[in-house]
Amino acid sequence: MSAPLADQLDIVIPTIRNLDFLEEWRPFFQPYHLIIVQDGDPTKKIHVPEGFDYELYNRNDIERILGDKAWAISFKDSACRCFGFMVSKKKYIYTIDDDCFVAKDPSGKPINVLEQHIKNLLTPSTPFFFNTLYDPYREGADFVRGYPFSLREGVATATSHGLWLNIPDYDAPTQMVKPKERNQRYVDAVMTVPKGTLYPMCGMNLAFDRELIGAGMYFGLMGEGQPIGRYDDMWAGWCTKVICDHLGIGCKTGLPYVWHSKASNPFTNLRKEYKGIFWQEEIIPFFQNVTLSKTSTSVEDLYVELADKVRKGLGHIDPYFSKLADGMVAWIEGWRMLNPPKAA
């Protein structure tokens, strides 16, 4: 089986357990390099099946590598995955949760998620004008009548957001109301999220162009010692979408699907999400209205600017947001330390 971009893509997996789930992914993942970010107790030995090319980082490694900036990487939360984004040296990242397995398309064929994500990332996005046939660049589709020719070249794609069959990514209140609901709808479509529209980005099945948007993919401060959880990927999604819109690049959502195998406990989730459910009613309008400096084109600079706006615009909600803004700045300092600018 051919492995597209095998030398240009890292797979980042956050985990607290043995990675036996990789056995099912072996035909698709084995050609790629894995970055495993071990959360929780660093003395615990995690088993990785034989034959995979991987590096593993635990909390001790994060402290050693980032020093006084390590506090910005969440502990006891899958948000720690963003450390893997930071240490990678590849152009593309794919990140997946360890309770996601290979899904099958309606014909019963196993879905090669990397192949589809790479297709999404290598073909342009169309954020400025919606194409009613969805992705105009896929086989059997095109731009429809009335689509401006001046926009048909599209723009670079920064993010490819995949979906999930079986257990949908619901918040705790929805989980409680619909405990037996399963997603069985396979929608054969990829679409660009329009400019000016935010979306809830889930980190369970996500690929992105690290060179284009990596420095903005900070999964915030979650987990131990923080008043909120389960908003790590949401935060990264809001920040990166605002930056992508500013830079005129695109985010896609739709194919590929993974099989999400188990629902997390809705009561535990409610405890983590409780404040976020209220806070997001103010956070979303903040992101909808935030403007970034027109002269700035560097994701790192834009992210530091956004941190300052978070401090000023959201600090009144809770002291957490000032701490989060500090975390955003520390994240960029860590990013710059591990990813110095390439010589011209």
Side-chain angles (χ1 to χ4, degrees):
M1 184 179 292
S2 74
L5 304 185
D7 57 342
Q8 293 181 62
L9 181 143
D10 278 336
I11 299 173
V12 175
I13 305 166
T15 194
I16 53 169
R17 58 181 67 86
N18 291 335
L19 290 179
D20 302 330
F21 93 116
L22 284 172
E23 282 300 349
E24 192 171 303
W25 286 106
R26 188 181 289 279
F28 303 114
F29 286 3
Q30 196 158 0
Y32 295 87
H33 179 69
L34 312 182
I35 298 177
I36 298 159
V37 185
Q38 177 180 343
D39 197 18
D41 179 3
T43 62
K44 183 180 169 186
K45 183 93 175 79
I46 279 181
H47 171 255
V48 181
E50 297 252 323
F52 285 94
D53 168 38
Y54 72 93
E55 53 193 304
L56 186 148
Y57 296 93
N58 62 30
R59 192 69 206 180
N60 294 342
D61 300 313
I62 295 172
E63 307 269 348
R64 174 177 52 81
I65 292 165
L66 288 182
D68 63 356
K69 296 167 190 58
W71 68 271
I73 304 295
S74 300
F75 182 53
K76 296 198 174 165
D77 193 281
S78 66
C80 67
R81 79 178 78 221
C82 62
F83 178 75
F85 309 161
M86 193 189 261
V87 294
S88 169
K89 296 287 175 267
K90 302 283 172 63
K91 178 169 167 54
Y92 300 102
I93 296 282
Y94 174 60
T95 185
I96 184 172
D97 285 4
D98 61 13
D99 60 351
C100 291
F101 293 86
V102 180
K104 292 191 164 84
D105 70 16
S107 74
K109 186 180 167 214
I111 295 165
N112 183 343
V113 290
L114 289 172
E115 185 177 51
Q116 181 66 49
H117 274 301
I118 287 164
K119 255 184 211 164
N120 295 349
L121 290 169
L122 293 185
T123 52
S125 289
T126 52
F128 306 118
F129 201 91
F130 190 80
N131 192 49
T132 49
L133 265 186
Y134 310 124
D135 181 2
Y137 303 103
R138 73 181 287 182
E139 216 175 306
D142 211 317
F143 292 99
V144 296
R145 184 170 56 87
Y147 201 100
F149 280 82
S150 58
L151 293 176
R152 292 190 183 194
E153 268 184 39
V155 299
T157 302
T159 306
S160 170
H161 176 259
L163 298 172
W164 347 270
L165 291 170
N166 196 35
I167 308 286
D169 186 26
Y170 285 163
D171 52 38
T174 311
Q175 274 185 302
M176 286 171 176
V177 176
K178 298 176 158 184
K180 293 193 164 59
E181 184 148 296
R182 298 293 177 264
N183 183 32
Q184 293 163 336
R185 292 174 61 227
Y186 179 96
V187 180
D188 186 10
V190 177
M191 60 190 82
T192 299
V193 184
K195 183 179 181 185
T197 301
L198 295 170
Y199 71 109
M201 189 183 83
C202 169
M204 210 172 348
N205 170 24
L206 175 74
F208 59 91
D209 183 324
R210 189 176 169 278
E211 288 177 8
L212 271 185
I213 199 63
M217 276 289 176
Y218 175 48
F219 273 47
L221 289 173
M222 304 281 147
E224 188 168 87
Q226 308 302 341
I228 184 177
R230 283 171 59 81
Y231 275 88
D232 51 333
D233 42 8
M234 299 295 132
W235 185 259
W238 298 327
C239 292
T240 50
K241 184 59 166 69
V242 162
I243 291 171
C244 285
D245 283 355
H246 176 82
L247 294 174
I249 54 182
C251 304
K252 292 180 182 175
T253 184
L255 301 177
Y257 284 89
V258 293
W259 180 267
H260 185 209
S261 64
K262 64 176 192 288
S264 42
N265 183 309
F267 296 98
T268 308
N269 289 350
L270 186 61
R271 203 163 55 239
K272 291 178 182 177
E273 291 171 2
Y274 178 74
K275 288 186 166 157
I277 289 168
F278 291 99
W279 289 350
Q280 73 181 20
E281 298 303 324
E282 283 189 69
I283 297 171
I284 303 285
F286 164 80
F287 279 108
Q288 284 170 331
N289 294 300
V290 75
T291 52
L292 297 168
S293 139
K294 286 198 168 37
T295 52
S296 198
T297 56
S298 139
V299 174
E300 293 167 27
D301 293 347
L302 288 165
Y303 200 74
V304 171
E305 186 186 339
L306 188 54
D308 186 54
K309 290 183 187 284
V310 165
R311 193 188 319 277
K312 291 173 179 157
L314 296 174
H316 68 277
I317 301 176
D318 191 274
Y320 166 75
F321 288 95
S322 296
K323 193 174 170 191
L324 176 55
D326 291 340
M328 293 168 76
V329 173
W331 157 263
I332 291 295
E333 287 170 352
W335 184 276
R336 284 174 169 157
M337 188 170 78
L338 297 182
N339 300 278
K342 292 185 178 123

